[in-house]
Amino acid sequence: MAKIIDLSVFQKEDLVVKSLTGEEYHIPGNISTEFYLYFYNQYDKIQKLNKSDPNQSIQFLKEFALEIIKLDESKSPTMETVDTQFKGFNVLMALVSNVMEYINEITANPSYESPTSN
């Protein structure tokens, strides 16, 4: 019997983000490596800005939120979308933190460790 490498176990479920207005954004579970690294770098910058310059961190958060919801290729969000559907520091931080938590979960999932079977 042939050995099978089942790469379908790496297909991750999408994350659905519901905005304050009820609009849903589908964030792909299989994000690119580039976005993954970008996300971690941006998250680190947000943490530093929150401590040093809260006003700048809000603008940075809004720009980052826009990048996140743009991952839903079925929609064309703008900064106005962020201003109306993700209004407020707490909402922006919740979006970023929850997406970060989701990325951590999918990258740490032990079921993805062994894609082989006999």
Side-chain angles (χ1 to χ4, degrees):
M1 183 165 191
K3 187 172 189 167
I4 299 170
I5 299 174
D6 183 4
L7 299 179
S8 68
V9 300
F10 291 101
Q11 183 64 34
K12 298 156 185 96
E13 290 184 33
D14 290 354
L15 175 67
V16 178
V17 175
K18 188 182 262 189
S19 74
L20 291 173
T21 62
E23 184 81 24
E24 290 186 352
Y25 294 87
H26 294 259
I27 310 305
N30 282 34
I31 60 171
S32 70
T33 302
E34 291 81 14
F35 187 80
Y36 176 81
L37 295 173
Y38 169 77
F39 192 91
Y40 274 96
N41 287 332
Q42 298 300 88
Y43 191 77
D44 186 50
K45 287 180 187 177
I46 288 169
Q47 302 295 1
K48 291 175 183 172
L49 279 174
N50 280 340
K51 294 176 184 173
S52 65
D53 189 351
N55 290 328
Q56 188 181 3
S57 75
I58 292 171
Q59 183 59 36
F60 191 81
L61 270 170
K62 289 167 69 173
E63 292 168 6
F64 192 35
L66 180 58
E67 291 300 316
I68 292 170
I69 61 175
K70 278 185 174 180
L71 290 172
D72 184 338
E73 295 177 354
S74 71
K75 296 186 174 37
S76 300
T78 64
M79 189 55 75
E80 184 178 329
T81 306
V82 173
D83 288 339
T84 58
Q85 296 184 16
F86 299 92
K87 188 182 289 187
F89 179 81
N90 289 341
V91 173
L92 292 167
M93 278 305 295
L95 170 65
V96 171
S97 296
N98 281 287
V99 171
M100 173 62 101
E101 183 179 312
Y102 179 71
I103 289 173
N104 285 335
E105 283 175 19
I106 61 177
T107 57
N109 189 332
S111 68
Y112 299 135
E113 289 177 9
S114 180
T116 61
S117 66
N118 294 330

